[in-house]
Amino acid sequence: MLDERTLLTIGQLAERSGVAHSALRFYETKELIVSIRTSGNQRRYHPSMLRRIALIQVAQLVGFTLEDIAKELEGLPMKKNATKHDWEKVANKWQKDLDAKLHQIQSLKENLTGCIGCGCLSMEKCQLLNPDDVLYEDGSGAQRILS
């Protein structure tokens, strides 16, 4: 059984996580985190929410949407600490997506000053790599980076 003295108020959670109260309430509406209500209807949070919030922040920084994050966090327990095995399952699911993001970032880094296959044909190199905008046949946008 959880000792109520270990639960965090919304203010404590905000201070320790660096996330605004309003964002915490928003995360709760999106079921990314959960609170326990006191008899006076005040929010209290299990300390494990700190790790979930940290993961949410980092995942957003690297481009995951809140929907992506919610989907991955579904398998984690909400009202107790997740085990190492629980976190490994999340990490394994995200590995493929993270590898794809790393590939896109590397491609962007290498090609940003050259032809990215967007169809503008404004650079000399574009005429060699994308003559007559042939990459448009593969789809719209920066085909040399997105593919």
Side-chain angles (χ1 to χ4, degrees), residues 11-136:
Q12 291 168 324
L13 190 67
E15 182 180 343
R16 292 190 55 193
S17 67
V19 174
H21 296 75
S22 58
L24 294 173
R25 287 189 292 274
F26 177 74
Y27 289 166
E28 197 170 339
T29 64
K30 295 295 182 184
E31 299 180 354
L32 295 166
I33 64 173
V34 67
S35 66
I36 300 163
R37 295 299 181 129
T38 67
S39 59
N41 203 30
Q42 295 176 328
R43 288 177 167 91
R44 295 293 185 264
Y45 296 90
H46 189 277
S48 64
M49 292 301 112
L50 287 167
R51 185 172 179 114
R52 291 177 75 94
I53 293 165
L55 179 67
I56 292 165
Q57 290 174 298
V58 171
Q60 283 184 296
L61 282 174
V62 298
F64 286 101
T65 65
L66 285 178
E67 291 78 20
D68 294 334
I69 297 166
K71 183 178 175 187
E72 297 306 327
L73 293 179
E74 280 177 355
L76 292 175
M78 275 284 212
K79 296 185 180 180
K80 65 177 189 166
N81 289 326
T83 66
K84 181 180 178 190
H85 179 70
D86 292 330
W87 285 109
E88 285 172 348
K89 286 193 290 187
V90 171
N92 288 337
K93 287 181 185 178
W94 276 3
Q95 191 65 48
K96 185 177 177 182
D97 289 339
L98 288 169
D99 287 342
K101 286 185 184 301
L102 284 172
H103 176 74
Q104 288 175 335
I105 290 168
Q106 188 63 37
S107 183
L108 177 62
K109 180 181 173 186
E110 292 170 0
N111 294 301
L112 191 58
T113 60
C115 178
I116 60 173
C118 65
C120 76
L121 305 176
S122 62
M123 303 179 102
E124 214 173 281
K125 195 173 183 182
C126 292
Q127 297 304 327
L128 298 172
L129 297 172
N130 189 22
D132 300 319
D133 192 20
V134 294
L135 291 176
Y136 177 70

